[in-house]
mmCIF file of all heavy atoms in Angstrom:
data_model
loop_
_atom_site.group_PDB
_atom_site.id
_atom_site.type_symbol
_atom_site.label_atom_id
_atom_site.label_comp_id
_atom_site.label_asym_id
_atom_site.label_seq_id
_atom_site.Cartn_x
_atom_site.Cartn_y
_atom_site.Cartn_z
ATOM 1 N N MET K 1 -18.932 -97.637 -99.284
ATOM 2 C CA MET K 1 -19.801 -98.256 -100.243
ATOM 3 C C MET K 1 -20.955 -98.937 -99.579
ATOM 4 O O MET K 1 -20.782 -99.587 -98.577
ATOM 5 C CB MET K 1 -19.002 -99.284 -101.089
ATOM 6 C CG MET K 1 -18.000 -98.659 -102.038
ATOM 7 S SD MET K 1 -18.811 -97.736 -103.361
ATOM 8 C CE MET K 1 -19.530 -99.052 -104.323
ATOM 9 N N PRO K 2 -22.139 -98.798 -100.155
ATOM 10 C CA PRO K 2 -23.306 -99.471 -99.562
ATOM 11 C C PRO K 2 -23.234 -100.973 -99.764
ATOM 12 O O PRO K 2 -22.795 -101.469 -100.791
ATOM 13 C CB PRO K 2 -24.469 -98.898 -100.327
ATOM 14 C CG PRO K 2 -23.893 -98.450 -101.610
ATOM 15 C CD PRO K 2 -22.509 -98.022 -101.282
ATOM 16 N N ASN K 3 -23.620 -101.684 -98.727
ATOM 17 C CA ASN K 3 -23.523 -103.153 -98.795
ATOM 18 C C ASN K 3 -24.888 -103.848 -98.866
ATOM 19 O O ASN K 3 -24.946 -104.992 -99.238
ATOM 20 C CB ASN K 3 -22.756 -103.661 -97.543
ATOM 21 C CG ASN K 3 -21.317 -103.202 -97.560
ATOM 22 O OD1 ASN K 3 -20.630 -103.377 -98.526
ATOM 23 N ND2 ASN K 3 -20.925 -102.541 -96.502
ATOM 24 N N ARG K 4 -25.901 -103.128 -98.442
ATOM 25 C CA ARG K 4 -27.233 -103.731 -98.449
ATOM 26 C C ARG K 4 -28.253 -102.797 -99.092
ATOM 27 O O ARG K 4 -28.104 -101.612 -99.063
ATOM 28 C CB ARG K 4 -27.659 -104.051 -97.029
ATOM 29 C CG ARG K 4 -26.884 -105.170 -96.410
ATOM 30 C CD ARG K 4 -27.433 -105.499 -95.055
ATOM 31 N NE ARG K 4 -27.283 -104.389 -94.111
ATOM 32 C CZ ARG K 4 -28.063 -104.214 -93.049
ATOM 33 N NH1 ARG K 4 -29.042 -105.002 -92.821
ATOM 34 N NH2 ARG K 4 -27.851 -103.210 -92.235
ATOM 35 N N ILE K 5 -29.275 -103.386 -99.628
ATOM 36 C CA ILE K 5 -30.400 -102.651 -100.142
ATOM 37 C C ILE K 5 -31.651 -103.043 -99.366
ATOM 38 O O ILE K 5 -31.960 -104.218 -99.230
ATOM 39 C CB ILE K 5 -30.613 -102.914 -101.669
ATOM 40 C CG1 ILE K 5 -29.400 -102.342 -102.425
ATOM 41 C CG2 ILE K 5 -31.882 -102.264 -102.143
ATOM 42 C CD1 ILE K 5 -29.465 -102.648 -103.920
ATOM 43 N N GLN K 6 -32.302 -102.031 -98.802
ATOM 44 C CA GLN K 6 -33.425 -102.280 -97.940
ATOM 45 C C GLN K 6 -34.661 -101.578 -98.536
ATOM 46 O O GLN K 6 -34.669 -100.384 -98.686
ATOM 47 C CB GLN K 6 -33.096 -101.650 -96.580
ATOM 48 C CG GLN K 6 -33.859 -102.209 -95.419
ATOM 49 C CD GLN K 6 -33.287 -101.698 -94.104
ATOM 50 O OE1 GLN K 6 -33.228 -100.516 -93.850
ATOM 51 N NE2 GLN K 6 -32.835 -102.626 -93.262
ATOM 52 N N ILE K 7 -35.657 -102.363 -98.838
ATOM 53 C CA ILE K 7 -36.882 -101.783 -99.336
ATOM 54 C C ILE K 7 -37.559 -100.969 -98.246
ATOM 55 O O ILE K 7 -37.708 -101.440 -97.122
ATOM 56 C CB ILE K 7 -37.875 -102.907 -99.804
ATOM 57 C CG1 ILE K 7 -37.240 -103.750 -100.914
ATOM 58 C CG2 ILE K 7 -39.200 -102.298 -100.273
ATOM 59 C CD1 ILE K 7 -37.134 -103.066 -102.266
ATOM 60 N N ALA K 8 -37.929 -99.775 -98.553
ATOM 61 C CA ALA K 8 -38.580 -98.916 -97.559
ATOM 62 C C ALA K 8 -40.035 -99.327 -97.447
ATOM 63 O O ALA K 8 -40.799 -99.153 -98.383
ATOM 64 C CB ALA K 8 -38.462 -97.455 -97.967
ATOM 65 N N PRO K 9 -40.465 -99.891 -96.299
ATOM 66 C CA PRO K 9 -41.806 -100.465 -96.210
ATOM 67 C C PRO K 9 -42.914 -99.458 -96.182
ATOM 68 O O PRO K 9 -44.045 -99.777 -96.483
ATOM 69 C CB PRO K 9 -41.767 -101.303 -94.896
ATOM 70 C CG PRO K 9 -40.701 -100.613 -94.094
ATOM 71 C CD PRO K 9 -39.689 -100.055 -95.080
ATOM 72 N N GLU K 10 -42.561 -98.231 -95.774
ATOM 73 C CA GLU K 10 -43.632 -97.206 -95.648
ATOM 74 C C GLU K 10 -43.954 -96.518 -96.942
ATOM 75 O O GLU K 10 -44.874 -95.709 -97.020
ATOM 76 C CB GLU K 10 -43.240 -96.206 -94.584
ATOM 77 C CG GLU K 10 -42.149 -95.224 -94.994
ATOM 78 C CD GLU K 10 -40.735 -95.763 -94.795
ATOM 79 O OE1 GLU K 10 -40.598 -96.968 -94.638
ATOM 80 O OE2 GLU K 10 -39.799 -94.969 -94.850
ATOM 81 N N THR K 11 -43.183 -96.803 -97.979
ATOM 82 C CA THR K 11 -43.415 -96.115 -99.238
ATOM 83 C C THR K 11 -44.343 -96.899 -100.126
ATOM 84 O O THR K 11 -44.484 -98.124 -99.998
ATOM 85 C CB THR K 11 -42.065 -95.923 -99.984
ATOM 86 O OG1 THR K 11 -41.461 -97.178 -100.219
ATOM 87 C CG2 THR K 11 -41.125 -95.060 -99.160
ATOM 88 N N GLN K 12 -45.005 -96.207 -101.009
ATOM 89 C CA GLN K 12 -45.970 -96.820 -101.894
ATOM 90 C C GLN K 12 -45.266 -97.399 -103.128
ATOM 91 O O GLN K 12 -44.302 -96.828 -103.623
ATOM 92 C CB GLN K 12 -47.000 -95.751 -102.325
ATOM 93 C CG GLN K 12 -48.285 -96.333 -102.860
ATOM 94 C CD GLN K 12 -49.314 -95.231 -103.118
ATOM 95 O OE1 GLN K 12 -49.050 -94.061 -102.863
ATOM 96 N NE2 GLN K 12 -50.452 -95.638 -103.577
ATOM 97 N N ALA K 13 -45.772 -98.513 -103.577
ATOM 98 C CA ALA K 13 -45.233 -99.097 -104.822
ATOM 99 C C ALA K 13 -45.670 -98.299 -106.023
ATOM 100 O O ALA K 13 -46.793 -97.846 -106.100
ATOM 101 C CB ALA K 13 -45.675 -100.566 -104.926
ATOM 102 N N LEU K 14 -44.735 -98.135 -106.921
ATOM 103 C CA LEU K 14 -44.984 -97.366 -108.146
ATOM 104 C C LEU K 14 -45.063 -98.310 -109.340
ATOM 105 O O LEU K 14 -44.588 -99.448 -109.276
ATOM 106 C CB LEU K 14 -43.916 -96.305 -108.343
ATOM 107 C CG LEU K 14 -43.706 -95.334 -107.216
ATOM 108 C CD1 LEU K 14 -42.449 -94.518 -107.483
ATOM 109 C CD2 LEU K 14 -44.897 -94.459 -107.027
ATOM 110 N N ALA K 15 -45.585 -97.836 -110.405
ATOM 111 C CA ALA K 15 -45.634 -98.636 -111.651
ATOM 112 C C ALA K 15 -44.248 -98.699 -112.249
ATOM 113 O O ALA K 15 -43.607 -97.684 -112.450
ATOM 114 C CB ALA K 15 -46.639 -98.034 -112.629
ATOM 115 N N CYS K 16 -43.823 -99.909 -112.574
ATOM 116 C CA CYS K 16 -42.503 -100.097 -113.204
ATOM 117 C C CYS K 16 -42.659 -99.955 -114.692
ATOM 118 O O CYS K 16 -43.535 -100.497 -115.316
ATOM 119 C CB CYS K 16 -41.994 -101.511 -112.834
ATOM 120 S SG CYS K 16 -40.470 -101.933 -113.700
ATOM 121 N N GLU K 17 -41.751 -99.157 -115.273
ATOM 122 C CA GLU K 17 -41.808 -98.915 -116.694
ATOM 123 C C GLU K 17 -41.256 -100.087 -117.510
ATOM 124 O O GLU K 17 -41.402 -100.132 -118.706
ATOM 125 C CB GLU K 17 -41.085 -97.639 -117.054
ATOM 126 C CG GLU K 17 -39.614 -97.626 -116.675
ATOM 127 C CD GLU K 17 -38.979 -96.259 -116.834
ATOM 128 O OE1 GLU K 17 -39.704 -95.248 -116.789
ATOM 129 O OE2 GLU K 17 -37.766 -96.208 -117.029
ATOM 130 N N HIS K 18 -40.586 -101.037 -116.815
ATOM 131 C CA HIS K 18 -40.012 -102.145 -117.565
ATOM 132 C C HIS K 18 -40.973 -103.328 -117.652
ATOM 133 O O HIS K 18 -41.149 -103.899 -118.703
ATOM 134 C CB HIS K 18 -38.709 -102.606 -116.873
ATOM 135 C CG HIS K 18 -37.595 -101.583 -117.028
ATOM 136 N ND1 HIS K 18 -36.726 -101.645 -118.100
ATOM 137 C CD2 HIS K 18 -37.277 -100.535 -116.284
ATOM 138 C CE1 HIS K 18 -35.870 -100.585 -117.987
ATOM 139 N NE2 HIS K 18 -36.200 -99.922 -116.889
ATOM 140 N N CYS K 19 -41.630 -103.696 -116.529
ATOM 141 C CA CYS K 19 -42.517 -104.846 -116.547
ATOM 142 C C CYS K 19 -43.969 -104.467 -116.478
ATOM 143 O O CYS K 19 -44.844 -105.299 -116.621
ATOM 144 C CB CYS K 19 -42.134 -105.839 -115.430
ATOM 145 S SG CYS K 19 -42.422 -105.189 -113.791
ATOM 146 N N GLY K 20 -44.242 -103.182 -116.161
ATOM 147 C CA GLY K 20 -45.614 -102.709 -116.142
ATOM 148 C C GLY K 20 -46.366 -102.979 -114.857
ATOM 149 O O GLY K 20 -47.516 -102.565 -114.709
ATOM 150 N N ARG K 21 -45.770 -103.698 -113.905
ATOM 151 C CA ARG K 21 -46.441 -104.007 -112.641
ATOM 152 C C ARG K 21 -46.128 -102.896 -111.627
ATOM 153 O O ARG K 21 -45.147 -102.211 -111.726
ATOM 154 C CB ARG K 21 -45.953 -105.319 -112.098
ATOM 155 C CG ARG K 21 -46.289 -106.493 -112.976
ATOM 156 C CD ARG K 21 -45.612 -107.738 -112.491
ATOM 157 N NE ARG K 21 -45.865 -108.888 -113.343
ATOM 158 C CZ ARG K 21 -46.918 -109.706 -113.181
ATOM 159 N NH1 ARG K 21 -47.760 -109.529 -112.179
ATOM 160 N NH2 ARG K 21 -47.089 -110.698 -114.021
ATOM 161 N N GLU K 22 -47.012 -102.798 -110.663
ATOM 162 C CA GLU K 22 -46.856 -101.785 -109.635
ATOM 163 C C GLU K 22 -45.988 -102.322 -108.502
ATOM 164 O O GLU K 22 -46.472 -102.529 -107.389
ATOM 165 C CB GLU K 22 -48.189 -101.283 -109.115
ATOM 166 C CG GLU K 22 -48.940 -100.496 -110.206
ATOM 167 C CD GLU K 22 -50.136 -99.777 -109.660
ATOM 168 O OE1 GLU K 22 -50.503 -99.952 -108.476
ATOM 169 O OE2 GLU K 22 -50.748 -98.983 -110.437
ATOM 170 N N THR K 23 -44.764 -102.631 -108.851
ATOM 171 C CA THR K 23 -43.877 -103.280 -107.876
ATOM 172 C C THR K 23 -42.571 -102.495 -107.768
ATOM 173 O O THR K 23 -41.565 -103.016 -107.250
ATOM 174 C CB THR K 23 -43.575 -104.738 -108.287
ATOM 175 O OG1 THR K 23 -43.235 -104.756 -109.654
ATOM 176 C CG2 THR K 23 -44.775 -105.612 -108.047
ATOM 177 N N LEU K 24 -42.560 -101.295 -108.256
ATOM 178 C CA LEU K 24 -41.345 -100.475 -108.164
ATOM 179 C C LEU K 24 -41.335 -99.779 -106.798
ATOM 180 O O LEU K 24 -42.213 -99.008 -106.444
ATOM 181 C CB LEU K 24 -41.372 -99.419 -109.303
ATOM 182 C CG LEU K 24 -40.083 -98.593 -109.461
ATOM 183 C CD1 LEU K 24 -38.904 -99.484 -109.861
ATOM 184 C CD2 LEU K 24 -40.317 -97.497 -110.475
ATOM 185 N N ARG K 25 -40.328 -100.121 -106.003
ATOM 186 C CA ARG K 25 -40.261 -99.637 -104.632
ATOM 187 C C ARG K 25 -39.044 -98.775 -104.446
ATOM 188 O O ARG K 25 -38.043 -98.921 -105.075
ATOM 189 C CB ARG K 25 -40.181 -100.853 -103.668
ATOM 190 C CG ARG K 25 -41.275 -101.851 -103.833
ATOM 191 C CD ARG K 25 -42.638 -101.258 -103.511
ATOM 192 N NE ARG K 25 -42.740 -100.719 -102.164
ATOM 193 C CZ ARG K 25 -43.151 -101.449 -101.122
ATOM 194 N NH1 ARG K 25 -43.501 -102.664 -101.267
ATOM 195 N NH2 ARG K 25 -43.203 -100.902 -99.921
ATOM 196 N N VAL K 26 -39.190 -97.878 -103.456
ATOM 197 C CA VAL K 26 -38.035 -97.083 -103.017
ATOM 198 C C VAL K 26 -37.187 -98.006 -102.115
ATOM 199 O O VAL K 26 -37.706 -98.678 -101.217
ATOM 200 C CB VAL K 26 -38.473 -95.858 -102.207
ATOM 201 C CG1 VAL K 26 -37.254 -95.131 -101.668
ATOM 202 C CG2 VAL K 26 -39.289 -94.929 -103.134
ATOM 203 N N ALA K 27 -35.893 -98.072 -102.401
ATOM 204 C CA ALA K 27 -35.002 -98.900 -101.654
ATOM 205 C C ALA K 27 -33.851 -98.052 -101.156
ATOM 206 O O ALA K 27 -33.390 -97.163 -101.838
ATOM 207 C CB ALA K 27 -34.482 -100.078 -102.468
ATOM 208 N N ARG K 28 -33.427 -98.321 -99.931
ATOM 209 C CA ARG K 28 -32.329 -97.542 -99.365
ATOM 210 C C ARG K 28 -31.046 -98.339 -99.423
ATOM 211 O O ARG K 28 -31.026 -99.549 -99.176
ATOM 212 C CB ARG K 28 -32.669 -97.201 -97.902
ATOM 213 C CG ARG K 28 -33.871 -96.294 -97.786
ATOM 214 C CD ARG K 28 -34.098 -95.884 -96.360
ATOM 215 N NE ARG K 28 -35.277 -95.038 -96.282
ATOM 216 C CZ ARG K 28 -36.329 -95.297 -95.530
ATOM 217 N NH1 ARG K 28 -36.368 -96.346 -94.769
ATOM 218 N NH2 ARG K 28 -37.383 -94.454 -95.536
ATOM 219 N N LEU K 29 -29.980 -97.637 -99.674
ATOM 220 C CA LEU K 29 -28.661 -98.250 -99.676
ATOM 221 C C LEU K 29 -28.090 -98.068 -98.269
ATOM 222 O O LEU K 29 -27.895 -96.966 -97.794
ATOM 223 C CB LEU K 29 -27.753 -97.563 -100.732
ATOM 224 C CG LEU K 29 -28.341 -97.457 -102.147
ATOM 225 C CD1 LEU K 29 -27.430 -96.664 -103.063
ATOM 226 C CD2 LEU K 29 -28.576 -98.827 -102.713
ATOM 227 N N VAL K 30 -27.828 -99.210 -97.621
ATOM 228 C CA VAL K 30 -27.437 -99.189 -96.247
ATOM 229 C C VAL K 30 -26.064 -99.880 -96.122
ATOM 230 O O VAL K 30 -25.822 -100.936 -96.695
ATOM 231 C CB VAL K 30 -28.454 -99.933 -95.361
ATOM 232 C CG1 VAL K 30 -28.085 -99.853 -93.882
ATOM 233 C CG2 VAL K 30 -29.874 -99.385 -95.607
ATOM 234 N N THR K 31 -25.177 -99.236 -95.336
ATOM 235 C CA THR K 31 -23.861 -99.834 -95.130
ATOM 236 C C THR K 31 -23.971 -100.869 -94.001
ATOM 237 O O THR K 31 -25.000 -101.013 -93.332
ATOM 238 C CB THR K 31 -22.846 -98.744 -94.690
ATOM 239 O OG1 THR K 31 -23.313 -98.126 -93.523
ATOM 240 C CG2 THR K 31 -22.702 -97.701 -95.779
ATOM 241 N N ASP K 32 -22.878 -101.585 -93.782
ATOM 242 C CA ASP K 32 -22.865 -102.611 -92.769
ATOM 243 C C ASP K 32 -23.169 -102.108 -91.373
ATOM 244 O O ASP K 32 -23.784 -102.798 -90.570
ATOM 245 C CB ASP K 32 -21.454 -103.243 -92.708
ATOM 246 C CG ASP K 32 -21.401 -104.566 -93.445
ATOM 247 O OD1 ASP K 32 -22.495 -105.019 -93.843
ATOM 248 O OD2 ASP K 32 -20.344 -105.125 -93.570
ATOM 249 N N ASP K 33 -22.754 -100.879 -91.082
ATOM 250 C CA ASP K 33 -23.033 -100.301 -89.752
ATOM 251 C C ASP K 33 -24.357 -99.565 -89.661
ATOM 252 O O ASP K 33 -24.626 -98.860 -88.700
ATOM 253 C CB ASP K 33 -21.885 -99.462 -89.277
ATOM 254 C CG ASP K 33 -21.494 -98.412 -90.311
ATOM 255 O OD1 ASP K 33 -22.172 -98.349 -91.367
ATOM 256 O OD2 ASP K 33 -20.485 -97.696 -90.081
ATOM 257 N N GLY K 34 -25.202 -99.740 -90.665
ATOM 258 C CA GLY K 34 -26.591 -99.238 -90.563
ATOM 259 C C GLY K 34 -26.785 -97.832 -91.049
ATOM 260 O O GLY K 34 -27.879 -97.262 -90.858
ATOM 261 N N HIS K 35 -25.814 -97.240 -91.680
ATOM 262 C CA HIS K 35 -25.998 -95.863 -92.201
ATOM 263 C C HIS K 35 -26.640 -95.910 -93.591
ATOM 264 O O HIS K 35 -26.207 -96.664 -94.446
ATOM 265 C CB HIS K 35 -24.651 -95.134 -92.293
ATOM 266 C CG HIS K 35 -24.132 -94.741 -90.957
ATOM 267 N ND1 HIS K 35 -23.170 -95.444 -90.285
ATOM 268 C CD2 HIS K 35 -24.405 -93.659 -90.144
ATOM 269 C CE1 HIS K 35 -22.894 -94.842 -89.142
ATOM 270 N NE2 HIS K 35 -23.651 -93.793 -89.018
ATOM 271 N N VAL K 36 -27.654 -95.069 -93.753
ATOM 272 C CA VAL K 36 -28.266 -94.930 -95.046
ATOM 273 C C VAL K 36 -27.456 -93.951 -95.887
ATOM 274 O O VAL K 36 -27.218 -92.821 -95.503
ATOM 275 C CB VAL K 36 -29.719 -94.425 -94.924
ATOM 276 C CG1 VAL K 36 -30.360 -94.229 -96.272
ATOM 277 C CG2 VAL K 36 -30.564 -95.363 -94.093
ATOM 278 N N VAL K 37 -26.967 -94.433 -96.975
ATOM 279 C CA VAL K 37 -26.062 -93.596 -97.788
ATOM 280 C C VAL K 37 -26.685 -93.159 -99.121
ATOM 281 O O VAL K 37 -26.075 -92.446 -99.866
ATOM 282 C CB VAL K 37 -24.726 -94.337 -98.084
ATOM 283 C CG1 VAL K 37 -23.947 -94.478 -96.798
ATOM 284 C CG2 VAL K 37 -24.974 -95.661 -98.738
ATOM 285 N N GLY K 38 -27.906 -93.589 -99.364
ATOM 286 C CA GLY K 38 -28.544 -93.165 -100.567
ATOM 287 C C GLY K 38 -29.819 -93.970 -100.797
ATOM 288 O O GLY K 38 -30.217 -94.789 -99.971
ATOM 289 N N GLN K 39 -30.499 -93.667 -101.872
ATOM 290 C CA GLN K 39 -31.697 -94.460 -102.176
ATOM 291 C C GLN K 39 -31.769 -94.657 -103.662
ATOM 292 O O GLN K 39 -31.231 -93.934 -104.483
ATOM 293 C CB GLN K 39 -32.933 -93.853 -101.569
ATOM 294 C CG GLN K 39 -33.522 -92.690 -102.290
ATOM 295 C CD GLN K 39 -34.796 -92.195 -101.577
ATOM 296 O OE1 GLN K 39 -35.036 -92.453 -100.437
ATOM 297 N NE2 GLN K 39 -35.632 -91.475 -102.326
ATOM 298 N N THR K 40 -32.521 -95.723 -103.985
ATOM 299 C CA THR K 40 -32.636 -96.066 -105.411
ATOM 300 C C THR K 40 -34.064 -96.611 -105.567
ATOM 301 O O THR K 40 -34.792 -96.778 -104.636
ATOM 302 C CB THR K 40 -31.598 -97.124 -105.785
ATOM 303 O OG1 THR K 40 -31.641 -97.374 -107.183
ATOM 304 C CG2 THR K 40 -31.825 -98.443 -105.035
ATOM 305 N N MET K 41 -34.438 -96.820 -106.827
ATOM 306 C CA MET K 41 -35.703 -97.433 -107.103
ATOM 307 C C MET K 41 -35.458 -98.896 -107.552
ATOM 308 O O MET K 41 -34.636 -99.134 -108.429
ATOM 309 C CB MET K 41 -36.465 -96.671 -108.204
ATOM 310 C CG MET K 41 -36.659 -95.200 -107.869
ATOM 311 S SD MET K 41 -37.748 -94.943 -106.480
ATOM 312 C CE MET K 41 -39.331 -95.391 -107.213
ATOM 313 N N LEU K 42 -36.192 -99.799 -106.938
ATOM 314 C CA LEU K 42 -35.957 -101.180 -107.265
ATOM 315 C C LEU K 42 -37.308 -101.891 -107.505
ATOM 316 O O LEU K 42 -38.185 -101.833 -106.670
ATOM 317 C CB LEU K 42 -35.217 -101.865 -106.067
ATOM 318 C CG LEU K 42 -35.004 -103.384 -106.190
ATOM 319 C CD1 LEU K 42 -34.000 -103.661 -107.273
ATOM 320 C CD2 LEU K 42 -34.510 -103.935 -104.882
ATOM 321 N N CYS K 43 -37.399 -102.539 -108.634
ATOM 322 C CA CYS K 43 -38.588 -103.301 -108.946
ATOM 323 C C CYS K 43 -38.454 -104.710 -108.390
ATOM 324 O O CYS K 43 -37.488 -105.406 -108.728
ATOM 325 C CB CYS K 43 -38.865 -103.302 -110.457
ATOM 326 S SG CYS K 43 -40.283 -104.304 -110.894
ATOM 327 N N THR K 44 -39.370 -105.110 -107.555
ATOM 328 C CA THR K 44 -39.281 -106.426 -106.967
ATOM 329 C C THR K 44 -39.759 -107.536 -107.921
ATOM 330 O O THR K 44 -39.612 -108.719 -107.673
ATOM 331 C CB THR K 44 -40.109 -106.527 -105.663
ATOM 332 O OG1 THR K 44 -41.456 -106.132 -105.952
ATOM 333 C CG2 THR K 44 -39.533 -105.601 -104.613
ATOM 334 N N GLU K 45 -40.357 -107.136 -109.020
ATOM 335 C CA GLU K 45 -40.856 -108.116 -110.001
ATOM 336 C C GLU K 45 -39.785 -108.459 -111.023
ATOM 337 O O GLU K 45 -39.488 -109.635 -111.227
ATOM 338 C CB GLU K 45 -42.085 -107.535 -110.700
ATOM 339 C CG GLU K 45 -42.783 -108.503 -111.629
ATOM 340 C CD GLU K 45 -43.440 -109.649 -110.900
ATOM 341 O OE1 GLU K 45 -43.787 -109.511 -109.733
ATOM 342 O OE2 GLU K 45 -43.514 -110.743 -111.520
ATOM 343 N N CYS K 46 -39.189 -107.488 -111.637
ATOM 344 C CA CYS K 46 -38.171 -107.767 -112.657
ATOM 345 C C CYS K 46 -36.791 -107.458 -112.158
ATOM 346 O O CYS K 46 -35.815 -107.612 -112.897
ATOM 347 C CB CYS K 46 -38.506 -106.989 -113.930
ATOM 348 S SG CYS K 46 -38.450 -105.210 -113.780
ATOM 349 N N ASN K 47 -36.668 -106.985 -110.894
ATOM 350 C CA ASN K 47 -35.364 -106.672 -110.306
ATOM 351 C C ASN K 47 -34.555 -105.636 -111.061
ATOM 352 O O ASN K 47 -33.358 -105.573 -111.008
ATOM 353 C CB ASN K 47 -34.526 -107.941 -110.130
ATOM 354 C CG ASN K 47 -35.067 -108.803 -109.020
ATOM 355 O OD1 ASN K 47 -35.568 -108.295 -108.007
ATOM 356 N ND2 ASN K 47 -34.989 -110.117 -109.175
ATOM 357 N N GLN K 48 -35.314 -104.795 -111.790
ATOM 358 C CA GLN K 48 -34.638 -103.719 -112.485
ATOM 359 C C GLN K 48 -34.372 -102.614 -111.527
ATOM 360 O O GLN K 48 -35.280 -102.156 -110.827
ATOM 361 C CB GLN K 48 -35.531 -103.227 -113.642
ATOM 362 C CG GLN K 48 -34.868 -102.199 -114.515
ATOM 363 C CD GLN K 48 -33.850 -102.763 -115.447
ATOM 364 O OE1 GLN K 48 -34.033 -103.832 -116.010
ATOM 365 N NE2 GLN K 48 -32.744 -102.074 -115.614
ATOM 366 N N ARG K 49 -33.153 -102.168 -111.447
ATOM 367 C CA ARG K 49 -32.805 -101.104 -110.501
ATOM 368 C C ARG K 49 -32.714 -99.779 -111.222
ATOM 369 O O ARG K 49 -32.136 -99.669 -112.293
ATOM 370 C CB ARG K 49 -31.505 -101.399 -109.801
ATOM 371 C CG ARG K 49 -31.302 -100.631 -108.552
ATOM 372 C CD ARG K 49 -29.983 -100.917 -107.935
ATOM 373 N NE ARG K 49 -29.824 -102.306 -107.588
ATOM 374 C CZ ARG K 49 -28.717 -102.861 -107.108
ATOM 375 N NH1 ARG K 49 -27.685 -102.095 -106.988
ATOM 376 N NH2 ARG K 49 -28.647 -104.110 -106.775
ATOM 377 N N HIS K 50 -33.340 -98.784 -110.687
ATOM 378 C CA HIS K 50 -33.359 -97.461 -111.258
ATOM 379 C C HIS K 50 -32.594 -96.537 -110.289
ATOM 380 O O HIS K 50 -33.134 -96.137 -109.290
ATOM 381 C CB HIS K 50 -34.757 -96.940 -111.430
ATOM 382 C CG HIS K 50 -35.653 -97.865 -112.215
ATOM 383 N ND1 HIS K 50 -36.018 -97.659 -113.509
ATOM 384 C CD2 HIS K 50 -36.218 -99.045 -111.838
ATOM 385 C CE1 HIS K 50 -36.789 -98.649 -113.918
ATOM 386 N NE2 HIS K 50 -36.912 -99.500 -112.927
ATOM 387 N N ARG K 51 -31.399 -96.208 -110.642
ATOM 388 C CA ARG K 51 -30.648 -95.349 -109.767
ATOM 389 C C ARG K 51 -31.057 -93.915 -109.949
ATOM 390 O O ARG K 51 -31.094 -93.426 -111.081
ATOM 391 C CB ARG K 51 -29.157 -95.535 -110.025
ATOM 392 C CG ARG K 51 -28.303 -94.827 -109.012
ATOM 393 C CD ARG K 51 -26.834 -95.209 -109.193
ATOM 394 N NE ARG K 51 -26.607 -96.611 -108.898
ATOM 395 C CZ ARG K 51 -26.372 -97.070 -107.657
ATOM 396 N NH1 ARG K 51 -26.421 -96.195 -106.651
ATOM 397 N NH2 ARG K 51 -26.140 -98.307 -107.408
ATOM 398 N N GLU K 52 -31.320 -93.241 -108.861
ATOM 399 C CA GLU K 52 -31.658 -91.796 -108.920
ATOM 400 C C GLU K 52 -30.394 -90.992 -108.877
ATOM 401 O O GLU K 52 -29.487 -91.302 -108.145
ATOM 402 C CB GLU K 52 -32.552 -91.428 -107.742
ATOM 403 C CG GLU K 52 -33.934 -92.045 -107.868
ATOM 404 C CD GLU K 52 -34.843 -91.499 -106.799
ATOM 405 O OE1 GLU K 52 -34.496 -90.506 -106.183
ATOM 406 O OE2 GLU K 52 -35.885 -92.102 -106.619
ATOM 407 N N ARG K 53 -30.431 -89.994 -109.674
ATOM 408 C CA ARG K 53 -29.225 -89.119 -109.693
ATOM 409 C C ARG K 53 -29.613 -87.732 -109.191
ATOM 410 O O ARG K 53 -30.714 -87.323 -109.294
ATOM 411 C CB ARG K 53 -28.682 -88.978 -111.114
ATOM 412 C CG ARG K 53 -28.159 -90.313 -111.625
ATOM 413 C CD ARG K 53 -27.536 -90.130 -113.022
ATOM 414 N NE ARG K 53 -27.095 -91.426 -113.532
ATOM 415 C CZ ARG K 53 -25.908 -91.941 -113.298
ATOM 416 N NH1 ARG K 53 -25.037 -91.219 -112.587
ATOM 417 N NH2 ARG K 53 -25.531 -93.090 -113.780
HETATM 418 ZN ZN1 ZN L 101 -40.393 -104.175 -113.175
#
């Protein structure tokens, strides 16, 4: 199970459909030992998480 969420700094912020701000970022799900196990979309403004399937 992923334990941490890390915003990918090299990615561009996208427009969030919930709050309308361009603060929707790609975030990586990282385990304790540093393995990236997935990614999700996370808005840093409203903290709405958009899980990609
Ligand atoms: Zn938002």
Side-chain angles (χ1 to χ4, degrees):
M1 289 294 290
N3 294 308
R4 289 185 295 155
I5 294 176
Q6 200 170 61
I7 300 287
E10 73 276 16
T11 59
Q12 199 172 359
L14 304 172
C16 174
E17 60 189 24
H18 290 270
C19 66
R21 296 172 183 270
E22 292 191 353
T23 48
L24 187 64
R25 305 297 301 268
V26 175
R28 295 183 181 125
L29 308 175
V30 185
T31 60
D32 259 353
D33 51 4
H35 287 98
V36 178
V37 292
Q39 79 178 21
T40 186
M41 302 296 287
L42 176 68
C43 177
T44 56
E45 185 68 27
C46 63
N47 287 325
Q48 185 75 40
R49 199 182 299 175
H50 307 254
R51 188 172 293 277
E52 291 187 15
R53 295 184 182 271

